Amino acid sequence: MQQPLWTPSADRIADTRMDAFRRFVNERHTLDLADYPALHQWSIDQRPAFWQAIADFFELRFHATPQAVLEEGPAMPDARWFPGATLNFAEHLLRRRDDRPALVAIGEDGSREQLTHAELAAHVAGLQRSLQAAGVGVGDRVAAFMPNTWQTVVGMLATTSLGATWSSCSPDFGTQGVIDRFGQIEPKVLIACAGYRYAGNTLDLTDKLNEILARLPSLGQLVVVPYAKPDTRPTDYRTDAAVACWRDFYQPGGEPEFVPVPFEQPLYILYSSGTTGVPKCIVHGTGGTLLQHVKELGLHTDLTADDTLFYFTTCGWMMWNWLVSGLALGATLVLFDGSPFHPGAERLMDLIDAEDISVFGTSAKYLAALEKAGARPRESHRLARLKAILSTGSPLAHESFEYVYRDIKPELCLSSISGGTDIVSCFALGNPVLPVRRGELQCKGLGMAVEVWDDDGRPVRGEKGELVCTRHFPAMPVGFWNDPDGAKFRSAYFERFPGVWAHGDYAEETAHGGLIIHGRSDAVLNPGGVRIGTAEIYRQVEKVDEVLESIAIGQDWDGDVRVVLFVRLREGIALDDALRTRICQTIRANTTPRHVPARIVQVTDIPRTISGKIVELAVRNVVHGQPVKNTDALANPAALEQFRDRAELKS
């Protein structure tokens, strides 16, 4: 068994909220749960008692008392959590009303705006009144086409304070991508920015916004946030809806009111990537999202009111929804809009020092890129309060684990986390009371009955298989929008193993209860009938200094499947036989001969979704001459053309 990279001290464990919760459960139920594995098993075996304990430990406020914690049918998905209960999501995120910072919004241009908890509540109260006047009430949809700014957070809180439903896209989405999403949910109000900045460029969104407005006939009100286009005017926008600039639409002041809604009332609508068709509109409930987020942030991340939380995300990724729930713990949130590498590789490291960030969240891709850029923040930055780094979006390579502890900070909890838009939360994630091991997610989340199954539906350990969840959990989506009989929802998650949530990750459970994610199961390679997760290949390729990133697919060939690897190299480097040989040798030496690609091909760009995930299936379709159903879901759809009709793949 590999040695941990980091192990928390006994004193540090005792000071965590996770350990305080274990003691709370022991005292309440006269138990003697000695450690996390025991606590997790109890949370699965006694789910009603566990989720009630979460609600009480974090002092959730129900306006109407629930009749029970869980009413459960014979098989998933058939559960009613906290039936009869009513609550309000925004109320829990606005409980703190003092003069400590709630939001610090940093722009790429260096601008900095700050709202205290009291000021945040006043802005929400003002916007709430104006949304009410625009006709927004329980169940109405408010959509945002916005960067990660304080106005976006205020918009979400004002919307959900009224019992309405919030949905957002980031301004880098293509026009059709926005229409594919918002067109389905028919928002009553749209909050949109007039322009934004990225990588040193200022982008005017007027024309794109007018195209979107033409396809949203349900819209009654457009609220324009000038942001990077300060001279914008309401007359710039062609719509039958009322139009107002943000500063004119409301006046901050007073106290917000909170409309109680049922536990399962739609809170958020998030979207699948849409790379295989029109995006699915995934509806998340109010109570389930709140319960899951306070558990993950408060216990698994050890977030407190003294912490400053940052996550590099856009409003088109579920990590934005997760980030803003940090307000429920009373934390300060740092919001950043722009490129993480502008003007230099250490921009976000500078931010950690400038804002005393204690919990820093990012993507696996960012950490790998930081290492490739030669950054050694441990030598150049204080990072004084940094106690945790979180990584998600794709599997974090072993080498990135080592990089963090070697070159960023040795005394912190590095948490690789995994879940997704589907549950707006995590199945497996970090834990401040457990060791950190290379390449592993520390644990299964509390209350999450996560297992790895083989093709026959049998649990396996130490073998690769499908990541499943075998019992109901509160953060399961309410359903899909416009799916009245639930057929699309059941097909998406419960078709592979009836009555069991199959998440679509190819995973492995370790002997000590950690998890390794080997990639998406629908992208698994199958040369000679041997299943290979793409992450196993990427991990090795990232060791080659000349390679910036790569993407692997299985190409149908000669009645079998062969592995094809596409690589993006450092500027000025060409792929030659010597480099191909070195890549193959690196893969072979650390995996198996089956992992070695039959062909390695150089490209200058790799297609990815708006949230930054590479799209193996889209590349595979192009290589095989098949259509890609929805290129508007991609951040860089033109990149796909590099994979079409490649001469290297014809022999």
Side-chain angles (χ1 to χ4, degrees), residues 8-28 31-40 42 50 54 57-58 295 297-304 430-434 446:
S9 67
D11 287 345
R12 182 158 178 167
I13 290 172
D15 285 342
T16 64
R17 274 189 157 173
M18 181 68 82
D19 204 57
F21 180 72
R22 180 186 62 83
R23 297 192 298 268
F24 173 82
V25 168
N26 279 343
E27 183 176 350
R28 168 177 283 200
L31 298 170
D32 188 24
L33 304 173
D35 53 20
Y36 183 79
L39 178 63
H40 181 267
W42 176 82
F50 166 72
I54 290 290
F57 187 77
F58 289 104
K295 177 203 77 176
L297 286 156
L299 302 185
H300 286 275
T301 312
D302 200 31
L303 190 72
T304 72
N431 194 324
V433 306
L434 293 179
L446 287 174

Side-chain angles (χ1 to χ4, degrees), residues 190-230:
L190 176 66
I191 301 173
C193 70
Y196 72 107
R197 303 177 190 91
Y198 194 83
N201 299 308
T202 300
L203 296 99
D204 186 337
L205 290 174
T206 306
D207 291 343
K208 182 187 283 190
L209 194 48
N210 277 323
E211 290 180 46
I212 293 166
L213 291 169
R215 303 281 294 277
L216 295 179
S218 67
L219 202 64
Q221 176 73 56
L222 171 66
V223 183
V224 181
V225 180
Y227 197 52
K229 190 174 185 290

Side-chain angles (χ1 to χ4, degrees), residues 168-366:
S168 59
C169 290
S170 54
D172 53 348
F173 274 59
T175 303
Q176 190 60 45
V178 178
I179 293 165
D180 283 347
R181 289 160 173 79
F182 294 165
Q184 293 187 70
I185 67 169
E186 300 177 303
K188 183 171 282 189
V189 174
L190 176 66
I191 301 173
C193 70
Y196 72 107
R197 303 177 190 91
Y198 194 83
N201 299 308
T202 300
L203 296 99
D204 186 337
L205 290 174
T206 306
D207 291 343
K208 182 187 283 190
L209 194 48
N210 277 323
E211 290 180 46
I212 293 166
L213 291 169
R215 303 281 294 277
L216 295 179
S218 67
L219 202 64
Q221 176 73 56
L222 171 66
V223 183
V224 181
V225 180
Y227 197 52
K229 190 174 185 290
D231 60 346
T232 193
R233 298 166 301 173
T235 51
D236 293 338
Y237 303 98
R238 299 188 297 273
T239 175
D240 292 333
V243 183
C245 282
W246 177 267
R247 61 182 172 271
D248 302 320
F249 185 63
Y250 79 97
Q251 293 298 314
E255 291 290 324
E257 299 177 358
F258 301 106
V259 176
V261 295
F263 191 87
E264 69 281 2
Q265 178 70 29
L267 170 76
Y268 289 140
I269 298 176
L270 277 64
Y271 306 92
S272 65
S273 63
T275 53
T276 57
V278 176
K280 295 185 285 288
C281 305
I282 305 170
V283 183
H284 291 289
T286 297
T289 302
L290 180 63
L291 268 180
Q292 185 83 324
H293 283 187
V294 296
K295 177 203 77 176
E296 292 184 345
L297 286 156
L299 302 185
H300 286 275
T301 312
D302 200 31
L303 190 72
T304 72
D306 295 327
D307 282 309
T308 299
L309 172 65
F310 170 87
Y311 218 105
F312 178 68
T313 181
T314 71
C315 302
W317 190 21
M318 62 139 288
M319 294 313 300
W320 181 86
N321 306 79
W322 195 84
L323 165 67
V324 295
S325 288
L327 292 169
L329 284 305
T332 298
L333 308 186
V334 175
L335 313 173
F336 177 76
D337 175 59
S339 167
F341 289 99
H342 183 83
E346 297 190 355
R347 175 67 189 273
L348 298 187
M349 298 297 106
D350 296 341
L351 201 59
I352 294 176
D353 278 357
E355 302 298 338
D356 278 335
I357 291 168
S358 54
V359 179
F360 176 86
T362 185
S363 64
K365 177 191 170 192
Y366 170 80

Side-chain angles (χ1 to χ4, degrees), residues 407-555:
D407 290 329
I408 298 183
K409 190 172 183 178
E411 186 54 39
L412 55 71
C413 184
L414 173 57
S415 298
S416 180
I417 66 179
S418 180
T421 299
D422 314 82
I423 62 170
V424 73
S425 58
C426 304
F427 282 117
L429 66 171
N431 194 324
V433 306
L434 293 179
V436 175
R437 292 180 168 87
R438 294 170 186 81
E440 293 189 25
L441 289 70
Q442 286 171 280
C443 67
K444 305 169 184 177
L446 287 174
M448 308 297 279
V450 174
E451 296 179 359
V452 176
W453 282 14
D454 65 16
D455 290 342
D456 297 321
R458 294 175 301 207
V460 293
R461 180 174 283 193
E463 299 178 25
K464 298 164 191 169
E466 294 282 341
L467 183 75
V468 302
C469 192
T470 62
R471 301 185 189 181
H472 285 111
F473 52 94
M476 188 181 294
V478 174
F480 291 163
W481 195 257
N482 290 331
D483 182 27
D485 62 357
K488 294 178 184 176
F489 176 65
R490 289 191 299 274
S491 173
Y493 306 112
F494 302 97
E495 204 168 66
R496 176 74 193 276
F497 301 112
V500 170
W501 178 290
H503 191 56
D505 277 344
Y506 191 49
E508 177 183 350
E509 184 175 351
T510 65
H512 41 263
L515 283 168
I516 301 170
I517 306 295
H518 293 288
R520 294 293 294 171
S521 54
D522 58 7
V524 164
L525 311 174
N526 202 23
V530 177
R531 299 184 80 194
I532 295 172
T534 52
E536 301 172 65
I537 294 176
Y538 302 149
R539 179 194 161 197
Q540 305 309 323
V541 178
E542 285 177 5
K543 295 176 180 178
V544 180
D545 189 59
E546 293 89 341
V547 180
L548 291 175
E549 61 180 342
S550 61
I551 188 168
I553 66 158
Q555 181 190 15

